[in-house]
Coordinates of all heavy atoms in Angstrom, one line a residue:
M1 N -9.5 3.2 9.3 CA -8.3 2.5 9.6 C -8.2 1.2 9.0 O -7.2 0.8 8.6 CB -8.2 2.6 11.1 CG -6.8 2.0 11.5 SD -5.5 3.3 11.0 CE -4.1 2.4 11.6
R2 N -9.4 0.5 9.2 CA -9.4 -0.9 8.5 C -9.2 -0.9 7.1 O -8.6 -1.8 6.4 CB -10.7 -1.5 9.0 CG -10.8 -2.0 10.4 CD -12.0 -2.7 10.7 NE -13.0 -1.9 10.8 CZ -14.3 -2.3 10.8 NH1 -14.7 -3.6 10.9 NH2 -15.3 -1.3 11.0
K3 N -9.8 0.1 6.4 CA -9.6 0.2 4.9 C -8.3 0.4 4.5 O -7.6 -0.1 3.6 CB -10.5 1.4 4.5 CG -10.3 1.7 3.0 CD -11.1 2.9 2.5 CE -10.5 4.1 3.1 NZ -11.0 5.3 2.6
R4 N -7.5 1.3 5.4 CA -6.2 1.6 5.1 C -5.2 0.3 5.3 O -4.4 0.0 4.4 CB -5.6 2.6 6.1 CG -4.2 3.2 5.8 CD -4.1 4.4 6.6 NE -4.9 5.5 6.1 CZ -5.3 6.5 6.8 NH1 -4.8 6.8 7.8 NH2 -6.1 7.5 6.2
L5 N -5.6 -0.5 6.3 CA -4.9 -1.7 6.5 C -5.1 -2.8 5.4 O -4.2 -3.4 4.9 CB -5.1 -2.4 7.8 CG -4.5 -1.6 9.0 CD1 -5.0 -2.1 10.4 CD2 -3.0 -1.5 9.0
L6 N -6.4 -2.8 5.0 CA -6.7 -3.8 4.0 C -6.1 -3.5 2.7 O -5.5 -4.3 2.0 CB -8.4 -3.8 3.8 CG -8.9 -4.7 2.7 CD1 -8.5 -6.2 3.1 CD2 -10.3 -4.5 2.5
V7 N -6.1 -2.3 2.3 CA -5.4 -1.9 0.9 C -3.9 -2.1 1.1 O -3.3 -2.6 0.2 CB -5.7 -0.3 0.6 CG1 -4.9 0.1 -0.5 CG2 -7.3 -0.2 0.3
S8 N -3.4 -1.8 2.2 CA -1.9 -2.0 2.5 C -1.6 -3.4 2.3 O -0.5 -3.8 1.7 CB -1.4 -1.5 3.9 OG -1.6 -0.1 3.9
F9 N -2.3 -4.3 2.9 CA -2.1 -5.8 2.8 C -2.3 -6.3 1.4 O -1.6 -7.2 0.9 CB -3.0 -6.5 3.7 CG -2.6 -6.5 5.2 CD1 -3.4 -6.2 6.2 CD2 -1.2 -6.7 5.5 CE1 -3.0 -6.0 7.4 CE2 -0.8 -6.6 6.8 CZ -1.6 -6.3 7.8
V10 N -3.3 -5.8 0.6 CA -3.4 -6.1 -0.7 C -2.1 -5.7 -1.6 O -1.6 -6.6 -2.4 CB -4.7 -5.5 -1.4 CG1 -4.7 -5.6 -2.9 CG2 -5.9 -6.1 -0.7
F11 N -1.7 -4.5 -1.4 CA -0.4 -4.1 -2.1 C 0.8 -4.9 -1.6 O 1.7 -5.2 -2.4 CB -0.2 -2.5 -1.8 CG -1.0 -1.7 -3.0 CD1 -2.2 -1.3 -2.6 CD2 -0.3 -1.3 -4.1 CE1 -3.1 -0.6 -3.6 CE2 -1.0 -0.6 -5.0 CZ -2.3 -0.2 -4.8
G12 N 0.8 -5.2 -0.3 CA 1.9 -6.1 0.2 C 1.9 -7.5 -0.5 O 3.0 -8.0 -0.8
A13 N 0.7 -7.9 -0.7 CA 0.5 -9.3 -1.4 C 1.0 -9.2 -2.8 O 1.6 -10.0 -3.4 CB -0.8 -9.8 -1.3
L14 N 0.7 -8.1 -3.5 CA 1.1 -7.8 -4.9 C 2.6 -7.8 -4.9 O 3.2 -8.2 -5.8 CB 0.5 -6.6 -5.3 CG -1.0 -6.8 -5.8 CD1 -1.6 -5.4 -6.2 CD2 -1.3 -7.7 -6.9
G15 N 3.1 -7.1 -3.9 CA 4.7 -7.0 -3.9 C 5.3 -8.4 -3.6 O 6.3 -8.7 -4.3
L16 N 4.6 -9.3 -2.8 CA 5.2 -10.6 -2.6 C 5.1 -11.5 -3.9 O 6.0 -12.2 -4.3 CB 4.4 -11.4 -1.5 CG 4.9 -11.1 -0.1 CD1 4.0 -11.7 0.8 CD2 6.4 -11.5 0.0
A17 N 4.0 -11.2 -4.6 CA 3.8 -11.9 -5.9 C 4.8 -11.5 -7.0 O 5.2 -12.3 -7.9 CB 2.5 -11.6 -6.5
T18 N 5.3 -10.3 -6.9 CA 6.3 -9.8 -7.9 C 7.7 -10.0 -7.4 O 8.8 -9.6 -8.1 CB 6.1 -8.4 -8.3 OG1 6.1 -7.5 -7.2 CG2 4.7 -8.3 -9.0
A19 N 7.9 -10.4 -6.1 CA 9.2 -10.4 -5.5 C 10.3 -11.4 -6.2 O 11.4 -10.9 -6.4 CB 9.2 -10.8 -4.0
L20 N 9.8 -12.6 -6.5 CA 10.8 -13.5 -7.0 C 11.3 -13.1 -8.4 O 12.4 -13.1 -8.7 CB 10.3 -14.9 -6.8 CG 10.1 -15.4 -5.5 CD1 9.5 -16.8 -5.4 CD2 11.4 -15.3 -4.7
P21 N 10.3 -12.9 -9.4 CA 10.7 -12.6 -10.6 C 11.6 -11.4 -10.8 O 12.6 -11.3 -11.4 CB 9.5 -12.5 -11.5 CG 8.5 -13.0 -10.7 CD 8.9 -13.0 -9.2
L22 N 11.2 -10.3 -10.1 CA 12.0 -9.0 -10.2 C 13.1 -9.0 -9.2 O 14.1 -8.4 -9.6 CB 11.1 -7.8 -9.7 CG 9.9 -7.5 -10.8 CD1 9.0 -6.4 -10.2 CD2 10.4 -7.2 -12.1
G23 N 13.1 -9.8 -8.2 CA 14.2 -9.9 -7.3 C 15.4 -10.6 -8.1 O 16.6 -10.2 -7.8
D24 N 15.1 -11.7 -8.9 CA 16.2 -12.3 -9.6 C 16.8 -11.2 -10.6 O 18.1 -11.3 -10.8 CB 15.7 -13.4 -10.4 CG 15.4 -14.7 -9.6 OD1 16.0 -14.7 -8.5 OD2 14.6 -15.5 -9.9
R25 N 16.0 -10.5 -11.2 CA 16.6 -9.4 -12.3 C 17.4 -8.4 -11.5 O 18.3 -8.0 -12.1 CB 15.5 -8.8 -13.0 CG 14.8 -9.6 -14.0 CD 13.7 -8.9 -14.7 NE 12.9 -9.7 -15.5 CZ 11.9 -9.4 -16.3 NH1 11.5 -8.2 -16.2 NH2 11.3 -10.2 -17.0
L26 N 17.2 -8.1 -10.2 CA 17.8 -7.1 -9.5 C 19.0 -7.7 -8.7 O 19.7 -7.0 -8.2 CB 17.0 -6.3 -8.5 CG 15.8 -5.5 -9.2 CD1 14.9 -4.9 -8.1 CD2 16.4 -4.4 -10.0
G27 N 19.1 -9.0 -8.8 CA 20.3 -9.6 -8.2 C 20.1 -9.8 -6.6 O 21.1 -9.9 -5.9
L28 N 18.8 -9.8 -6.2 CA 18.6 -10.0 -4.7 C 18.4 -11.4 -4.4 O 17.9 -12.3 -5.2 CB 17.3 -9.2 -4.3 CG 17.4 -7.7 -4.6 CD1 15.9 -7.1 -4.3 CD2 18.4 -7.0 -3.7
T29 N 18.7 -11.8 -3.2 CA 18.4 -13.1 -2.8 C 16.9 -13.3 -2.5 O 16.1 -12.2 -2.5 CB 19.2 -13.5 -1.4 OG1 18.6 -12.6 -0.4 CG2 20.6 -13.3 -1.6
T30 N 16.3 -14.5 -2.3 CA 15.0 -14.6 -2.1 C 14.4 -13.9 -1.0 O 13.4 -13.2 -1.0 CB 14.7 -16.2 -1.9 OG1 15.1 -16.9 -3.2 CG2 13.2 -16.4 -1.9
I31 N 15.0 -14.1 0.3 CA 14.6 -13.3 1.4 C 14.6 -11.9 1.3 O 13.7 -11.2 1.6 CB 15.4 -13.8 2.6 CG1 15.3 -15.3 2.9 CG2 15.1 -13.1 3.8 CD1 13.9 -15.8 3.2
Q32 N 15.7 -11.3 0.7 CA 15.8 -9.9 0.5 C 14.7 -9.4 -0.4 O 14.1 -8.3 -0.2 CB 17.2 -9.5 -0.1 CG 18.4 -9.7 0.8 CD 19.6 -9.4 0.0 OE1 19.7 -9.7 -1.1 NE2 20.7 -9.0 0.8
A33 N 14.4 -10.1 -1.5 CA 13.4 -9.7 -2.4 C 12.1 -9.8 -1.8 O 11.2 -8.7 -1.9 CB 13.4 -10.6 -3.7
M34 N 11.7 -10.8 -0.9 CA 10.5 -10.9 -0.4 C 10.2 -9.8 0.7 O 9.1 -9.2 0.7 CB 10.3 -12.3 0.3 CG 10.2 -13.4 -0.8 SD 10.2 -15.1 0.0 CE 8.5 -15.0 0.7
I35 N 11.2 -9.4 1.5 CA 11.1 -8.5 2.4 C 11.0 -7.2 1.8 O 10.0 -6.2 2.2 CB 12.3 -8.5 3.5 CG1 12.2 -9.8 4.3 CG2 12.3 -7.2 4.4 CD1 13.4 -10.1 5.1
A36 N 11.8 -6.8 0.9 CA 11.8 -5.6 0.2 C 10.6 -5.2 -0.6 O 10.0 -4.2 -0.5 CB 13.1 -5.3 -0.8
F37 N 10.2 -6.2 -1.4 CA 8.9 -6.0 -2.3 C 7.7 -5.9 -1.4 O 6.8 -5.1 -1.6 CB 8.9 -6.9 -3.3 CG 9.7 -6.7 -4.5 CD1 11.1 -7.1 -4.5 CD2 9.3 -5.9 -5.5 CE1 11.9 -6.9 -5.6 CE2 10.1 -5.7 -6.6 CZ 11.5 -6.1 -6.7
S38 N 7.5 -6.7 -0.3 CA 6.4 -6.7 0.6 C 6.3 -5.3 1.3 O 5.3 -4.8 1.4 CB 6.3 -7.9 1.5 OG 7.4 -7.9 2.3
M39 N 7.5 -5.0 1.8 CA 7.4 -3.6 2.5 C 7.2 -2.5 1.6 O 6.5 -1.5 2.0 CB 8.8 -3.5 3.3 CG 9.1 -4.5 4.4 SD 7.8 -4.4 5.7 CE 8.1 -2.9 6.4
A40 N 7.7 -2.6 0.4 CA 7.4 -1.5 -0.6 C 5.9 -1.5 -0.9 O 5.3 -0.4 -1.0 CB 8.3 -1.7 -1.8
G41 N 5.4 -2.7 -1.1 CA 3.9 -2.7 -1.4 C 3.1 -2.2 -0.3 O 2.1 -1.5 -0.4
L42 N 3.4 -2.5 1.0 CA 2.8 -2.0 2.2 C 2.9 -0.5 2.2 O 1.8 0.2 2.6 CB 3.2 -2.7 3.4 CG 3.0 -4.1 3.7 CD1 3.7 -4.6 5.0 CD2 1.4 -4.3 3.9
F43 N 4.0 0.0 2.0 CA 4.1 1.5 2.0 C 3.3 2.2 0.9 O 2.6 3.2 1.2 CB 5.6 1.8 1.9 CG 5.9 3.3 1.8 CD1 5.8 4.0 3.0 CD2 6.3 3.8 0.7 CE1 6.1 5.4 3.0 CE2 6.5 5.3 0.6 CZ 6.4 6.0 1.8
V44 N 3.4 1.6 -0.3 CA 2.6 2.3 -1.4 C 1.1 2.2 -1.1 O 0.4 3.2 -1.3 CB 3.0 1.5 -2.7 CG1 2.0 1.9 -3.7 CG2 4.3 1.9 -3.1
G45 N 0.7 1.1 -0.6 CA -0.8 1.0 -0.2 C -1.2 2.0 0.8 O -2.3 2.6 0.7
Y46 N -0.3 2.0 1.9 CA -0.6 3.1 3.0 C -0.7 4.4 2.4 O -1.5 5.3 2.7 CB 0.4 2.8 4.0 CG 0.0 3.5 5.4 CD1 -1.0 3.0 6.2 CD2 0.6 4.7 5.7 CE1 -1.3 3.6 7.3 CE2 0.3 5.3 6.9 CZ -0.7 4.8 7.8 OH -1.1 5.4 8.9
V47 N 0.3 4.8 1.7 CA 0.4 6.2 1.2 C -0.7 6.5 0.2 O -1.2 7.6 0.2 CB 1.8 6.5 0.5 CG1 1.9 7.8 -0.3 CG2 2.9 6.5 1.5
L48 N -1.1 5.5 -0.6 CA -2.2 5.6 -1.5 C -3.5 6.0 -0.8 O -4.2 6.8 -1.2 CB -2.3 4.5 -2.4 CG -3.5 4.6 -3.4 CD1 -3.2 5.6 -4.5 CD2 -3.7 3.2 -4.1
T49 N -3.7 5.2 0.3 CA -5.0 5.5 1.1 C -4.9 6.9 1.8 O -6.0 7.5 1.8 CB -5.2 4.4 2.1 OG1 -4.1 4.3 2.9 CG2 -5.5 3.1 1.5
I50 N -3.9 7.3 2.2 CA -3.7 8.6 2.8 C -4.0 9.6 1.7 O -4.7 10.6 2.0 CB -2.3 8.9 3.5 CG1 -2.2 8.0 4.7 CG2 -2.1 10.3 3.9 CD1 -0.8 8.0 5.3
F51 N -3.4 9.5 0.6 CA -3.7 10.5 -0.5 C -5.1 10.4 -0.8 O -5.7 11.6 -1.1 CB -2.8 10.0 -1.7 CG -3.0 10.9 -2.9 CD1 -2.4 12.2 -3.1 CD2 -3.8 10.4 -3.9 CE1 -2.5 12.9 -4.2 CE2 -4.0 11.3 -5.2 CZ -3.4 12.4 -5.1
L52 N -5.7 9.3 -1.0 CA -7.1 9.3 -1.3 C -8.0 9.9 -0.3 O -9.0 10.5 -0.5 CB -7.6 7.8 -1.7 CG -7.1 7.3 -2.9 CD1 -7.4 5.8 -3.0 CD2 -7.5 8.1 -4.2
D53 N -7.6 9.6 0.9 CA -8.4 10.3 2.1 C -8.3 11.8 2.0 O -9.3 12.5 2.3 CB -7.9 9.8 3.5 CG -8.4 8.4 3.8 OD1 -9.4 7.9 3.1 OD2 -7.8 7.8 4.7
I54 N -7.2 12.3 1.7 CA -7.0 13.8 1.7 C -7.7 14.3 0.5 O -8.4 15.3 0.5 CB -5.5 14.2 1.7 CG1 -5.0 13.7 3.0 CG2 -5.4 15.6 1.4 CD1 -3.4 13.9 3.2
F55 N -7.4 13.9 -0.7 CA -7.9 14.5 -2.0 C -9.2 14.0 -2.5 O -9.7 14.6 -3.4 CB -6.8 14.4 -3.0 CG -5.5 15.2 -2.6 CD1 -4.4 14.5 -2.2 CD2 -5.5 16.6 -2.5 CE1 -3.3 15.3 -1.8 CE2 -4.4 17.3 -2.2 CZ -3.3 16.6 -1.8
A56 N -9.6 12.8 -2.1 CA -10.9 12.3 -2.8 C -12.1 12.3 -1.9 O -13.1 11.8 -2.2 CB -10.5 10.9 -3.2
T57 N -12.0 12.9 -0.7 CA -13.1 13.0 0.3 C -13.9 14.3 -0.2 O -13.3 15.3 -0.7 CB -12.7 13.1 1.7 OG1 -11.7 14.2 1.9 CG2 -12.0 11.8 2.0
S58 N -15.0 14.3 0.2 CA -16.0 15.5 -0.1 C -15.6 16.6 0.9 O -15.2 16.3 2.0 CB -17.4 15.1 0.1 OG -17.7 14.8 1.3
T59 N -15.7 17.8 0.4 CA -15.3 19.0 1.3 C -16.6 19.7 1.7 O -16.6 21.0 1.6 CB -14.4 19.9 0.4 OG1 -15.2 20.3 -0.7 CG2 -13.1 19.2 0.2
T60 N -17.6 19.0 2.1 CA -18.8 19.7 2.6 C -18.6 20.3 4.0 O -17.7 19.6 4.8 CB -20.0 18.6 2.7 OG1 -19.6 17.7 3.6 CG2 -20.3 18.1 1.3
T61 N -19.2 21.4 4.4 CA -19.0 21.9 5.7 C -20.1 21.5 6.6 O -20.0 21.9 7.8 CB -18.8 23.4 5.5 OG1 -20.1 23.9 4.9 CG2 -17.7 23.8 4.7
E62 N -21.0 20.8 6.1 CA -22.1 20.4 6.9 C -21.8 19.2 7.7 O -21.2 18.2 7.1 CB -23.4 20.1 6.2 CG -23.9 21.4 5.4 CD -25.0 21.1 4.5 OE1 -25.6 20.0 4.6 OE2 -25.4 21.9 3.5
P63 N -22.1 19.1 9.0 CA -21.9 17.8 9.7 C -22.7 16.6 9.2 O -23.9 16.9 8.8 CB -22.2 18.1 11.1 CG -23.2 19.3 11.1 CD -22.8 20.1 9.9
E64 N -22.2 15.5 9.2 CA -22.9 14.3 8.7 C -23.8 13.8 9.8 O -23.4 13.9 11.0 CB -22.0 13.2 8.2 CG -21.2 13.7 7.0 CD -20.2 12.5 6.5 OE1 -20.4 11.4 7.0 OE2 -19.4 12.8 5.8
N65 N -24.9 13.3 9.5 CA -25.8 12.7 10.4 C -25.5 11.3 10.8 O -25.1 10.5 9.9 CB -27.3 12.8 9.9 CG -27.7 14.2 9.9 OD1 -27.2 15.0 10.7 ND2 -28.6 14.6 9.2

């Protein structure tokens, strides 16, 4: 769970870093761009970690010690 939150916050920070330049191009105000891009980054990071948990984990049937 901590890994999922950490990755989400990293993607949220990347969203904030791109909010102002891309928000101007899309015609968004500063607040709208910051909220939209940070939430989009958080969502992408969360979905990415779920995807990696499902498809990138080993499929061993033996219990781990």
Side-chain angles (χ1 to χ4, degrees):
M1 186 67 179
R2 285 185 284 171
K3 176 185 70 171
R4 190 169 290 157
L5 289 174
L6 179 65
V7 171
S8 295
F9 284 129
V10 168
F11 274 85
L14 290 173
L16 276 176
T18 60
L20 295 179
L22 292 178
D24 283 341
R25 289 183 185 176
L26 296 174
L28 300 174
T29 64
T30 302
I31 299 299
Q32 289 174 335
M34 290 175 71
I35 291 171
F37 281 89
S38 63
M39 294 302 288
L42 288 171
F43 178 74
V44 168
Y46 192 75
V47 170
L48 180 67
T49 56
I50 291 174
F51 178 79
L52 290 176
D53 283 344
I54 292 171
F55 294 109
T57 57
S58 64
T59 57
T60 59
T61 57
E62 299 175 10
E64 295 182 13
N65 292 330

